[in-house]
């Protein structure tokens, strides 16, 4: 019988803690913030780690919060509660700062930002300087692609609702679509996106990116695809680089058959798959 008062007191403390946590979250929203860490909450609420954890857990259960990574929280405002999460553009920069990892928005997500949305990407694609597992929060999915030498990436800042995020330039995006072709689904889809991206590409900047990275198999495949979609003006400078460098032959689809349908001498590409550009 003597335990009942303790249970009631504990329940009251938990309720008070939840009210304080909700007020803390509402205060952050009022200041335009949509993310915070558990360490920040603990410092502000001045309570035990266990109490803070459980109060935030209850707010997650009620749809106020999402937790993409352990210890990192998103505040889900009412207009986004059906989706269960804000758009990734609102919080990707905060998440990557939390990880302490360099990154940029790339591939199909960058292509869409640059106006080449052949099909709306089903996932938000990010290139990172560390191996990170993909994550799903509500209806949003983020897929990470590892790049060892992030200093070679060419990006530009893009304004978001909560600040800025680095996005690969159109030229860097073109290379990455070829480099991480599985992220686009197929070489046919890569070609289709390149066809839409072409009006944003600059031949001089394509050459600069090629010289910066010297990833000749990627240059050869990209040059072949630019020709295939009818943009020899964009590929001309790359062709001169390839002639001067004389790289070895590469398969157009590195995972495809070693038997080539044809051999493209201009790019020294073994065309081992037919490219059909989607309408």
């Amino acid at each position: 019988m003597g335990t009942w008062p303790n249970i009631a007191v504990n329940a009251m403390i938990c309720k008070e803690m939840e009210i304080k946590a909700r007020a803390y979250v509402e205060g952050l929203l009022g200041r335009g913030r949509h993310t915070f860490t558990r360490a920040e909450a603990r410092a502000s609420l001045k309570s035990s780690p266990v109490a803070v954890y459980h109060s935030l857990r209850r707010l997650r259960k009620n749809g106020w919060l999402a937790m993409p990574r352990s210890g990192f929280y998103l505040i889900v405002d009412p207009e986004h509660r059906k989706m269960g999460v804000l758009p990734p553009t609102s919080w990707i920069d905060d998440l990557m700062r939390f990880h302490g990892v360099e990154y940029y928005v790339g591939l199909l997500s960058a292509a869409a930002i640059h106006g080449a949305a052949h099909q709306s990407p089903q996932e938000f694609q990010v290139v990172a300087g560390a191996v990170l597992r993909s994550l799903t929060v509500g209806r949003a999915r983020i897929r990470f692609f590892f790049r060892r030498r992030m200093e070679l990436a060419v990006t530009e800042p893009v304004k978001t609702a909560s600040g800025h995020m680095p996005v690969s330039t159109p030229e860097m995006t073109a290379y990455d679509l070829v480099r991480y072709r599985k992220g686009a689904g197929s070489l046919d889809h890569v070609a289709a996106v390149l066809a839409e991206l072409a009006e944003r590409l600059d031949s001089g900047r394509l050459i600069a990116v090629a010289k910066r990275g010297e990833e000749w198999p990627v240059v050869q495949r990209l040059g072949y695809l630019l020709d295939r979609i009818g943009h020899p003006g964009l590929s001309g400078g790359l062709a001169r680089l390839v002639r001067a460098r004389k790289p070895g032959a590469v398969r157009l689809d590195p995972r495809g058959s070693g038997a080539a349908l044809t051999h493209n001498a201009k790019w020294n590409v073994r065309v081992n798959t037919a490219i059909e550009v989607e309408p």
Side-chain angles (χ1 to χ4, degrees):
M1 292 292 291
T3 61
W4 285 106
N6 289 335
I7 293 173
V9 168
N10 287 338
M12 183 173 68
I13 291 171
C14 288
K15 187 64 178 175
E16 288 177 354
M17 190 63 211
E18 185 178 345
I19 292 170
K20 284 177 65 178
R22 185 175 296 187
Y24 167 71
V25 167
E26 288 176 334
L28 290 178
L29 264 184
R31 299 198 298 274
R33 279 192 60 182
H34 286 86
T35 69
F36 65 93
T37 67
R38 191 180 301 148
E40 288 178 302
R42 201 160 59 228
S44 181
L45 296 173
K46 296 180 174 59
S47 189
S48 71
V50 172
V52 170
Y53 172 81
H54 284 291
S55 61
L56 296 178
R57 185 170 178 270
R58 283 189 289 273
L59 291 180
R60 284 177 62 201
K61 188 175 180 181
N62 292 331
W64 279 66
L65 301 177
M67 189 174 68
R69 296 291 197 222
S70 179
F72 179 84
Y73 294 88
L74 304 178
I75 304 171
V76 186
D77 53 29
E79 72 174 289
H80 292 104
R81 294 226 172 115
K82 271 193 174 180
M83 287 189 64
V85 68
L86 281 76
T89 53
S90 300
W91 49 274
I92 186 63
D93 196 66
D94 288 346
L95 175 67
M96 299 310 285
R97 288 177 189 274
F98 174 76
H99 279 305
V101 172
E102 286 188 87
Y103 82 101
Y104 60 87
V105 178
L107 286 84
L108 295 178
S109 296
I113 289 169
H114 293 307
H118 181 71
Q119 294 175 354
S120 296
Q122 299 301 305
E123 58 190 17
F124 193 69
Q125 297 182 329
V126 173
V127 180
V131 177
L132 298 173
R133 70 181 187 279
S134 298
L135 59 87
T136 301
V137 189
R139 297 183 191 175
R141 173 178 165 80
I142 298 182
R143 185 176 176 188
F144 296 97
F145 298 82
F146 173 59
R147 183 184 181 94
R148 190 176 302 279
R149 299 192 63 189
M150 289 292 290
E151 74 276 8
L152 297 180
V154 185
T155 66
E156 57 191 32
V158 170
K159 188 171 174 54
T160 68
S162 58
H164 292 84
M165 62 184 182
V167 177
S168 57
T169 62
E171 293 76 23
M172 191 79 239
T173 301
Y175 281 101
D176 279 351
L177 286 168
V178 175
R179 179 183 295 106
Y180 305 105
R181 57 206 160 276
K182 287 182 70 176
S186 69
L187 280 173
D188 289 346
H189 194 202
V190 169
V193 176
L194 286 174
E196 289 195 4
L197 192 62
E199 65 181 36
R200 300 291 303 276
L201 297 176
D202 176 84
S203 59
R205 288 194 290 267
L206 282 170
I207 293 169
V209 174
K211 289 180 175 178
R212 185 182 179 93
E214 293 196 342
E215 296 178 84
W216 296 108
V218 177
V219 174
Q220 290 166 263
R221 293 180 183 117
L222 176 59
Y224 173 84
L225 289 174
L226 288 173
D227 281 357
R228 178 67 180 80
I229 62 175
H231 287 279
L234 288 173
S235 66
L238 299 182
R240 288 191 292 274
L241 285 181
V242 168
R243 279 199 303 272
R245 179 65 171 76
K246 295 183 174 59
V250 296
R251 285 180 288 179
L252 179 59
D253 181 356
R255 294 182 178 272
S257 167
L261 303 174
T262 60
H263 179 263
N264 184 282
K266 177 180 178 181
W267 300 103
N268 203 7
V269 167
R270 292 174 182 150
V271 184
N272 60 344
T273 184
I275 298 295
E276 297 181 9
V277 181
E278 301 170 20

